[in-house]
Amino acid sequence: MKWLFLAGAILMSLPMIAGELDPKTCRVVEVEAGPEDIELDRWSTPPRLMVGPTPPVAVPIVDGMLGEKVALETPKFHPIGISLVRTGDKTLLYAISKGVGVEVFELSGNALIPLPNGKLTSKLITTPNGIAATRLGEIYVSNMSAHGGIRGRLSNVFRANNGNVIHYRDGEWMTEISPVRFGNGLLLSPDESQLWVAAFADRKIHRYRRDTGAGKLTHEVTIELEAYPDNIKWSTFPELVAAVHPSYWRTGLHITLPKMFHSRSAVAMIRDATAAAPG
């Protein structure tokens, strides 16, 4: 059984990822409005999905099926992207926190416990969207635009090529990749030697080789899609699935006026994202 995660819509378990979805194979889990990302907590018993609405929730996986959601004990915050990392005997959740920057929590049972000095801010965090953290505490964050405020929103409307990926290491933030046309989902390989970056407005996913010593990135491959990629996750490594939007403008209208405009979503599969020419 493969697990397909569409943050912002529904959670589904599917025997296959191909063609049109059969509603009979789907299980809808109602959560609070606004889930923007999801992570698999494989270290808990049973394993569970960490889903990021406000407040975030956990959804256990029992006998291959999604169970009932469990509210998490957590300080009030608005997660956008989330990244779950196992370090030693601790599970850490890194979250883009709306209006704050990045917050880091220890996941203990059903509680998210803020780490001391776990609020990370920077002027480089402008329009954050995706996040990927490493076991040694390095963080990559994608920005839709390198500018905040009205300038950033206009950049997204007109698909300006001024997004980026920023990198936190040894207590400092730096710009790691620039430009990226509307930075979106980020995904590390299990050994953290490669990083995938969704460039939403370009309908592309870029793959980078990561120097695990210095954290620097070298571009390897560009994967072209027929739709606009949002979050990206592993099905079973190296098989990558991406939540995609067929229409750029319908997506924007839905975000702005969700009750008036609906936007379809779909799933793209890359069977071997590590290949020289993934397809």
Side-chain angles (χ1 to χ4, degrees):
M1 181 73 73
K2 298 181 185 296
W3 290 97
L4 172 64
F5 315 129
L6 289 182
I10 55 178
L11 314 180
M12 295 170 285
S13 65
L14 302 173
M16 295 181 63
I17 304 176
E20 294 296 322
L21 297 176
D22 180 354
K24 294 180 182 179
T25 68
C26 301
R27 156 114 159 83
V28 177
V29 178
E30 298 288 346
V31 299
E32 299 298 324
E36 297 200 44
D37 205 354
I38 193 165
E39 282 280 76
L40 175 63
D41 179 9
R42 63 178 65 86
W43 304 284
S44 68
T45 305
R48 54 189 176 173
L49 303 178
M50 310 304 295
V51 188
T54 305
V57 299
V59 183
I61 303 170
V62 181
D63 296 329
M65 298 298 293
L66 296 177
E68 299 299 323
K69 67 178 181 182
V70 177
L72 297 176
E73 300 173 26
T74 177
K76 185 177 180 180
F77 80 112
H78 185 154
I80 301 175
I82 59 176
S83 180
L84 209 61
V85 178
R86 185 71 171 179
T87 302
D89 60 352
K90 294 182 178 180
T91 302
L92 302 181
L93 185 139
Y94 292 76
I96 298 169
S97 183
K98 187 174 182 179
V100 176
V102 173
E103 294 191 64
V104 189
F105 303 86
E106 181 182 348
L107 177 58
S108 178
N110 292 326
L112 286 175
I113 303 169
L115 292 190
N117 303 315
K119 287 188 178 182
L120 308 175
T121 62
S122 171
K123 292 181 180 179
L124 295 178
I125 304 174
T126 53
T127 51
N129 199 333
I131 183 170
T134 75
R135 288 183 286 271
L136 294 179
E138 295 186 44
I139 307 168
Y140 297 91
V141 171
S142 63
N143 283 311
M144 296 177 284
S145 168
H147 309 290
I150 294 176
R151 187 177 178 186
R153 289 193 289 272
L154 288 174
S155 295
N156 296 334
V157 170
F158 294 104
R159 306 191 199 185
N161 191 19
N162 62 7
N164 59 24
V165 174
I166 60 175
H167 179 200
Y168 177 82
R169 175 185 171 90
D170 296 332
E172 296 184 3
W173 289 94
M174 64 202 78
T175 300
E176 191 65 46
I177 307 171
S178 180
V180 177
R181 197 182 298 273
F182 198 126
N184 210 305
L186 299 177
L187 185 64
L188 282 163
S189 60
D191 66 358
E192 302 180 350
S193 67
Q194 292 175 298
L195 177 73
W196 286 257
V197 178
F200 182 84
D202 269 345
R203 297 189 298 186
K204 296 176 180 177
I205 297 174
H206 299 283
R207 190 181 80 213
Y208 294 83
R209 174 65 56 181
R210 177 174 177 268
D211 181 336
T212 54
K216 295 297 181 181
L217 303 174
T218 303
H219 189 268
E220 288 188 318
V221 169
T222 296
I223 304 166
E224 297 191 8
L225 303 174
E226 295 181 357
Y228 302 90
D230 200 315
N231 288 337
I232 51 179
K233 301 292 178 185
W234 295 120
S235 171
T236 301
F237 181 81
E239 190 173 79
L240 182 152
V241 290
V244 298
H245 303 267
S247 170
Y248 189 98
W249 297 111
R250 293 289 298 187
T251 302
L253 289 170
H254 174 68
I255 292 171
T256 306
L257 299 167
K259 293 184 179 180
M260 293 181 60
F261 297 96
H262 290 194
S263 178
R264 294 180 60 197
S265 60
V267 174
M269 171 189 284
I270 299 162
R271 297 191 182 280
D272 185 357
T274 65

